[in-house]
Amino acid sequence: MADIHPVRALLGGAVAPGAPVTVRGWLRSKRDSKAGISFLAVHDGSCFDPIQAVVPNTLGNYEDEVLALGTGAAVIVTGELVESQGKGQAVEIQANRVEVVGPVLDPEHYPIAKKRHSFEYLRTQAHLRPRTNTFGAITRVRHALANAIHGFFHERGFYWVNTPIITGSDCEGAGELFRVSTLDFANLPRRADGAVDFAEDFFAGEAFLTVSGQLEVESFCLAMSKVYTFGPTFRAENSNTSRHLAEFWMVEPEIAFADLDDNAELAEGLLRHVFRRVLEDCEDDMAFFQQRIDDTVLARLQAVIDNRFERMDYGEAIRILEGCGENFEFPVSWGVDLASEHERYLCEKHVGRPVVIANYPKDIKAFYMRLNDDGETVAAMDVLAPGIGEIIGGSQREERLDVLDQRMAEQGLDGLEWYRD
């Protein structure tokens, strides 16, 4: 059997014309000519484009199998890699063998035909949508992002820590948690006071899907100096907006002996690194997004790479927003948390590049953020990116035990005695 190569390697010039090759994948399309030749567009997910295979009618299974092929069929194509005579690709495969591994029994009604589908329709075909251009590109970009994130931290001496997905703590203090339980909710055990007896549950207490691995990874930070967690996070926020997801992956680095400036430098470096990697490694996928999804995406990513992030105090941001003359949906005043419309005005219209907002009011931030000398603000920051708004949030941690105790008492937090160690 000829060497098996991913389509990406063939289209990328890793194999010279004249070599015997075999590709395995799924048909994006098929075209039959009157000259007795079929043209198969074979896609294996390794890159955005399929490769064309030219199949002659001299193959033994041409009449009964090749002509019956339709979009979505799984095939193995063997032949010679040759320079393409047509436009669009430098090379194609002159096939001498086509093995049909999985035919589509009803090609006329294949749900993912070669045309543009709405996201609403693709939700009804979730098992097949990875075969579309959009979801294939998303998958490759997410893979490149994850590798870039791990590479960034590894090169800087960070250790990756896997924090628990099932936990008994609410890191954010918001109570927006998905419960994990093996109790029979049709026949719940009760205590004498009528409350649910979670001592009978699997963990002998209440358990939830994690909202953040931060508190756990802080324990590792105070032993390993530089760590990060990167994994699934769950928020039971019943809000149908682009800023709220029930499940997503989050990166949470922690640095011992660091201040807020160190955090801001790390955040800026991370964004530049991952955006650069995506533009380099996923050029064809990003070109597709630019053409079909958002015609500003390439310029916005490049602007993050090329420009120094603006640093701005929260108080200054409020003064700018109050005096800008914009008619915001949510009123602005000192002490409020910035809404998406405020964040995007600052980075898109006022500054025109990414902005780091620092020193937020303590009353709208978590207990673990270091109290500033003014007693009113904490050493917290948000990184705002054009077209998005907040993309990174972080803070310097409170290391003074007396101040930490006071902040926890103010917020009425119990069960975090271990955090004081």
Side-chain angles (χ1 to χ4, degrees):
M1 179 180 285
D3 290 337
I4 296 174
H5 294 282
V7 171
R8 180 187 181 113
L10 301 182
L11 297 182
V15 179
V21 295
T22 295
V23 295
R24 301 181 291 199
W26 300 266
L27 289 193
R28 280 288 174 84
S29 64
K30 178 178 72 75
R31 178 169 56 88
D32 303 317
S33 74
K34 295 180 179 179
I37 297 174
S38 292
F39 301 89
L40 311 183
V42 183
H43 189 265
D44 67 355
S46 62
C47 62
F48 184 82
D49 291 313
I51 191 167
Q52 177 169 275
V54 182
V55 184
N57 62 2
T58 55
L59 296 190
N61 64 341
Y62 184 84
E63 294 291 337
D64 58 341
E65 288 192 320
V66 173
L67 287 180
L69 288 173
T71 299
V75 297
I76 301 175
V77 178
T78 299
E80 180 185 352
L81 188 69
V82 300
E83 294 183 359
S84 179
Q85 301 302 309
K87 296 181 180 180
Q89 291 185 352
V91 294
E92 62 188 18
I93 299 173
Q94 288 288 342
N96 54 45
R97 184 171 185 269
V98 175
E99 179 183 350
V100 180
V101 178
V104 173
L105 300 181
D106 187 5
E108 294 297 322
H109 296 93
Y110 182 67
I112 309 295
K114 188 184 177 183
K115 65 178 183 178
R116 193 167 185 172
H117 299 285
S118 69
F119 289 132
E120 288 75 16
Y121 172 75
L122 291 177
R123 289 190 186 99
T124 70
Q125 303 293 332
H127 64 299
L128 293 175
R129 66 184 181 183
R131 300 188 184 191
T132 64
N133 285 332
T134 300
F135 279 84
I138 289 171
T139 301
R140 287 184 293 272
V141 168
R142 281 180 62 96
H143 173 77
L145 282 170
N147 273 287
I149 289 167
H150 283 303
F152 176 86
F153 287 116
H154 178 72
E155 291 167 5
R156 288 156 181 79
F158 282 73
Y159 294 97
W160 180 29
V161 177
N162 299 117
T163 54
I165 293 176
I166 299 176
T167 178
S169 67
D170 176 6
C171 176
E172 300 294 331
E176 296 161 338
L177 301 141
F178 287 104
R179 185 179 298 279
V180 177
S181 176
T182 59
L183 294 178
D184 180 2
F185 277 73
N187 187 27
L188 289 170
R190 300 284 181 178
R191 298 191 317 226
D193 60 2
V196 176
D197 187 3
F198 286 103
E200 299 293 323
D201 210 343
F202 185 89
F203 294 105
E206 293 185 88
F208 310 92
L209 295 178
T210 183
V211 296
S212 169
Q214 178 201 312
L215 298 187
E216 175 80 13
V217 84
E218 281 190 51
S219 299
F220 282 85
C221 179
L222 299 183
M224 308 295 291
S225 294
K226 294 194 290 186
V227 297
Y228 70 105
T229 179
F230 181 23
T233 301
F234 308 88
R235 303 284 173 91
E237 298 175 346
N238 191 16
S239 180
N240 296 318
T241 74
S242 61
R243 291 168 59 88
H244 295 86
L245 291 171
E247 177 183 351
F248 56 96
W249 277 55
M250 185 160 62
V251 185
E252 297 175 284
E254 292 289 336
I255 322 168
F257 309 105
D259 60 20
L260 192 61
D261 288 334
D262 296 321
N263 288 351
E265 289 292 334
L266 184 71
E268 184 172 341
L270 173 65
L271 287 178
R272 280 211 181 96
H273 175 83
V274 299
F275 287 179
R276 186 180 297 111
R277 280 286 306 278
V278 165
L279 291 181
E280 292 173 354
D281 297 349
C282 302
E283 183 177 357
D284 51 355
D285 295 314
M286 295 306 299
F288 168 75
F289 291 147
Q290 174 81 12
Q291 181 184 19
R292 292 294 186 92
I293 307 298
D294 180 356
D295 62 7
T296 68
V297 64
L298 295 180
R300 286 194 288 113
L301 294 185
Q302 195 62 52
V304 173
I305 295 170
D306 294 341
N307 292 294
R308 180 72 181 172
F309 290 18
E310 180 80 4
R311 306 294 173 91
M312 184 182 299
D313 191 83
Y314 169 86
E316 179 186 356
I318 293 298
R319 289 191 293 273
I320 292 170
L321 293 168
E322 287 179 327
C324 70
E326 292 280 327
N327 185 24
F328 293 119
E329 179 182 357
F330 299 98
V332 179
S333 62
W334 198 96
V336 303
D337 204 359
L338 298 182
S340 178
E341 59 179 342
H342 308 142
E343 296 167 343
R344 295 190 62 175
Y345 173 84
L346 291 169
C347 61
E348 293 174 15
K349 294 185 178 181
H350 182 76
V351 177
R353 62 182 188 277
V355 180
V356 180
I357 307 293
N359 301 315
Y360 280 80
K362 67 175 184 178
D363 292 338
I364 60 173
K365 293 297 181 179
F367 74 94
Y368 47 74
M369 300 184 179
R370 194 180 198 277
L371 188 66
N372 289 327
D373 293 341
D374 60 14
E376 296 295 328
T377 62
V378 290
M381 67 162 197
D382 285 334
V383 180
L384 314 181
I388 301 171
E390 181 189 347
I391 190 171
I392 293 178
S395 72
Q396 182 177 344
R397 306 310 185 208
E398 182 59 76
E399 84 283 4
R400 297 162 297 184
L401 188 57
D402 58 335
V403 179
L404 182 64
D405 286 340
Q406 180 182 349
R407 293 278 289 149
M408 293 172 69
E410 289 173 353
Q411 298 188 22
L413 298 175
D414 297 316
L416 289 172
E417 290 76 12
W418 61 269
Y419 186 77
R420 301 173 72 256
D421 293 339

